[in-house]
Amino acid sequence: MTLKFKVPDIGCQRCAEKITTSIQNVEADANVDVDVEAKTVLVNSQISESSIKQAIVDAGFQIDDSY
């Protein structure tokens, strides 16, 4: 399943790498695409949406649920 999240506090490539690593720590095979300019995270994964959200939050970022 592919999910897209708005993460307004992504500021740089290092942020993108931190988010990607956090999600892939939960599911190593997850395909993660972070768009720093658009401040979005696109995830193709078999894990639940709540698990992906928690991984992003655990990496130190907030998700804009109104997106």
Side-chain angles (χ1 to χ4, degrees):
M1 116 181 93
T2 301
L3 300 168
K4 188 173 186 178
F5 303 95
K6 181 73 171 179
V7 184
D9 47 350
I10 295 173
C12 62
Q13 189 58 37
R14 187 169 172 206
C15 296
E17 291 167 5
K18 190 172 180 182
I19 290 170
T20 299
T21 299
S22 184
I23 293 169
Q24 289 179 336
N25 282 340
V26 178
E27 184 190 346
D29 293 335
N31 183 354
V32 182
D33 181 27
V34 180
D35 186 331
V36 175
E37 275 190 40
K39 299 186 182 299
T40 58
V41 178
L42 188 65
V43 182
N44 187 349
S45 172
Q46 298 304 311
I47 59 176
S48 69
E49 180 176 354
S50 62
S51 295
I52 295 168
K53 284 183 172 183
Q54 188 60 53
I56 294 170
V57 169
D58 288 349
F61 298 89
Q62 295 183 353
I63 297 168
D64 181 354
D65 286 323
S66 66
Y67 179 69

